[in-house]
Amino acid sequence: MFLMTLLASTFLRAENLTLGLGENKSVPISGPIWVENGKLLQVTVSGQRMLLRGKRPGETTLKSGNKRYQVRITELADELARIPLLTAVQNSLNLSATMKNGIWQVQGELSAFFEWQNLSRKCLEQKCRYLFRAKIPESLRESILNGLSQELKNHFLPSEKIHFTPWPQLYLNPQHPQFSLFQNWANAYGIEIQEDKTALNTLPTTRIHIYILEVQRSWLQSFGISLPSQLSFQSFPQLRGSHDEIFSQLKALETQGVLKTLAQPQILSKSGKESEFFAGGEIPIPMITPRSREIVWKKYGIQIKFLPLADRSGRLNLSLDAEVSSVKPSGDAQQIPEISAHRISTHFDLMNPEPITLSGLIRNETLSSSSGLPWISQIPLFKELLNSQEYRENRTELMIVVQPELL
């Protein structure tokens, strides 16, 4: 009985064969041929041999007489994944790698994020692919999400939400400009990308810090910064560092009496989307025609438009359009007030975003009397400035400092 069982086991023992997708292999015929799945494997008889050709990735059984073959058809990327995957899971506690449905899968239970990182780094080097099907304990979810977010940032990719039910998946629009880069990253982590045409494409976000300052002219001139009588953008190399560092520097200068902060707004803007800062007001201007009479509201004050273009590597192109307008009332109540305006447009290419100053906002000749700026003087932002004795004596300068920051 034992001998018969041993003979049957020998008879049924399968020989493993691995075929690359589209690869041909010749095998001798031992008898009638039977293929479990003809969609994966094509068999052609030539004399006393059969020619095997892989059609689709997967596994199937081939029998020829008393010979039995377990045939695995893989793509080149899947075959390259075998060694790094098996090496990586050997160094883990509860992970294993098996070929299933023509693709490698990592199964078991994840013990720590660094195990997943080691796996991804080996696969990133070999450009292999696999599916991560291991269980992720609930206690590790938060640390893993933080780790994956940092990994995306390290690869200059925008942060995206990873779904863990039933396994790690990423929903991405196939029209995303960085779709191929996401694919390479997701393959290294075994994260399956689900193409979703309704998914929004995330763009880099720029935060623009704006400091509206009353600055001592003597201090600016000591650094060689010119004070033009017309609107002008200039870089401000004396202030360096991050927003927090620049904020601390301005506070220190304010303590020394060098400058005074009048306002400090912030603007968030997506790359390629225009945003605007406006400090001023609107006046009604009647528009009278033979058939109609309507009121059009015109803005006056300081208006700055920002158009940032940014990428994940930290490069930033910032286009700036500024306009300063003031209102001169007419002596005749029936006439339309005159609005004088100064405009300037410029752009900066910044690898390391640095502060940019906007000066020459209000012309000196308008400061001879408070009636020169009757409308602006009513704006809370500038009311204190125009009442400043030092400003009226031409010892201080109104300056706007723009500090872009890529989030």
Side-chain angles (χ1 to χ4, degrees):
M1 183 66 180
F2 173 76
L3 182 60
M4 292 179 62
T5 303
L6 181 61
L7 289 172
S9 174
T10 303
F11 179 79
L12 295 175
R13 185 176 299 158
E15 180 180 340
N16 293 324
L17 289 178
T18 300
L19 286 174
L21 192 62
E23 180 186 357
N24 295 318
K25 183 171 287 190
S26 178
V27 177
I29 296 177
S30 302
I33 300 171
W34 176 81
V35 180
E36 179 185 19
N37 191 340
K39 294 182 179 180
L40 303 181
L41 182 66
Q42 178 182 336
V43 181
T44 304
V45 177
S46 178
Q48 296 301 312
R49 301 187 70 83
M50 51 184 174
L51 189 64
L52 311 182
R53 182 175 182 273
K55 296 168 62 178
R56 294 182 183 176
E59 292 184 4
T60 187
T61 302
L62 168 66
K63 292 181 182 179
S64 176
N66 61 352
K67 294 285 292 185
R68 182 169 177 265
Y69 302 91
Q70 193 66 30
V71 184
R72 183 174 73 235
I73 301 102
T74 66
E75 292 187 6
L76 178 61
D78 298 325
E79 190 60 27
L80 290 174
R82 183 172 65 86
I83 295 177
L85 277 176
L86 294 178
T87 303
V89 298
Q90 284 176 356
N91 298 325
S92 65
L93 293 176
N94 301 308
L95 298 180
S96 62
T98 58
M99 174 69 74
K100 188 174 182 181
N101 298 326
I103 189 170
W104 285 98
Q105 296 189 12
V106 171
Q107 299 176 336
E109 183 172 338
L110 188 67
S111 300
F113 181 60
F114 73 85
E115 292 183 344
W116 204 356
Q117 279 182 308
N118 293 338
L119 194 60
S120 71
R121 286 166 184 166
K122 288 184 178 295
C123 277
L124 196 60
E125 294 173 1
Q126 298 293 333
K127 295 184 179 180
C128 59
R129 65 173 190 172
Y130 68 100
L131 294 177
F132 193 84
R133 295 292 185 262
K135 180 182 177 182
I136 301 176
E138 192 69 33
S139 57
L140 293 180
R141 292 285 174 89
E142 184 176 353
S143 62
I144 286 176
L145 282 173
N146 293 335
L148 291 174
S149 179
Q150 183 60 45
E151 286 293 302
L152 283 169
K153 185 176 181 180
N154 293 342
H155 287 80
F156 306 116
L157 292 170
S159 181
E160 294 285 347
K161 184 177 181 180
I162 308 296
H163 299 265
F164 290 101
T165 305
W167 49 74
Q169 298 178 83
L170 175 61
Y171 291 85
L172 205 62
N173 193 317
Q175 301 301 320
H176 195 290
Q178 296 173 295
F179 187 82
S180 60
L181 296 177
F182 268 109
Q183 275 190 320
N184 294 335
W185 179 85
N187 286 342
Y189 271 92
I191 297 174
E192 189 172 3
I193 289 184
Q194 300 289 348
E195 295 188 7
D196 183 3
K197 293 183 178 180
T198 64
L200 298 177
N201 294 335
T202 56
L203 297 171
T205 301
T206 302
R207 181 179 345 191
I208 300 173
H209 303 274
I210 302 173
Y211 308 91
I212 303 176
L213 310 171
E214 181 185 358
V215 187
Q216 291 286 344
R217 282 174 170 255
S218 58
W219 180 77
L220 291 173
Q221 290 169 342
S222 68
F223 288 105
I225 299 177
S226 60
L227 299 173
S229 60
Q230 295 183 345
L231 209 55
S232 174
F233 280 110
Q234 304 173 70
S235 63
F236 201 164
Q238 284 70 31
L239 295 175
R240 295 182 180 275
S242 65
H243 160 63
D244 292 335
E245 292 170 331
I246 290 176
F247 178 78
S248 299
Q249 294 172 39
L250 291 176
K251 282 297 182 184
L253 292 171
E254 191 168 5
T255 302
Q256 298 171 22
V258 172
L259 57 83
K260 183 177 183 180
T261 302
L262 302 178
Q264 188 184 330
Q266 296 182 11
I267 296 177
L268 290 177
S269 180
K270 289 285 187 182
S271 176
K273 305 296 182 181
E274 187 178 72
S275 56
E276 177 184 348
F277 166 76
F278 175 69
E282 293 182 302
I283 60 171
I285 296 181
M287 302 294 291
I288 302 174
T289 66
R291 295 186 178 182
S292 65
R293 176 187 176 92
E294 59 180 323
I295 299 297
V296 177
W297 293 87
K298 293 290 185 179
K299 290 182 177 181
Y300 66 91
I302 296 177
Q303 184 178 23
I304 310 175
K305 293 183 179 180
F306 307 90
L307 180 59
L309 292 174
D311 59 26
R312 293 290 168 181
S313 63
R315 290 183 291 265
L316 175 64
N317 177 287
L318 184 64
S319 296
L320 298 173
D321 295 314
E323 177 181 313
V324 178
S325 56
S326 59
V327 181
K328 294 182 179 180
S330 172
D332 188 346
Q334 300 298 321
Q335 293 185 4
I336 299 175
E338 176 187 348
I339 298 179
S340 62
H342 303 272
R343 300 181 181 89
I344 186 173
S345 297
T346 188
H347 74 273
F348 294 85
D349 294 318
L350 305 171
M351 185 61 193
N352 296 309
E354 60 184 27
I356 301 164
T357 64
L358 175 60
S359 56
L361 297 170
I362 302 177
R363 293 176 299 173
N364 293 335
E365 59 265 25
T366 62
L367 296 175
S368 58
S369 66
S370 60
S371 61
L373 298 169
W375 299 87
I376 291 182
S377 62
Q378 301 305 314
I379 301 171
L381 181 63
F382 301 109
K383 189 172 184 179
E384 184 178 357
L385 173 72
L386 298 178
N387 290 331
S388 168
Q389 184 64 29
E390 287 191 326
Y391 188 76
R392 296 182 61 80
E393 292 177 357
N394 208 19
R395 295 203 301 268
T396 60
E397 169 80 7
L398 176 63
M399 180 174 289
I400 294 182
V401 177
V402 176
Q403 166 69 7
E405 176 189 14
L406 187 61
L407 299 182

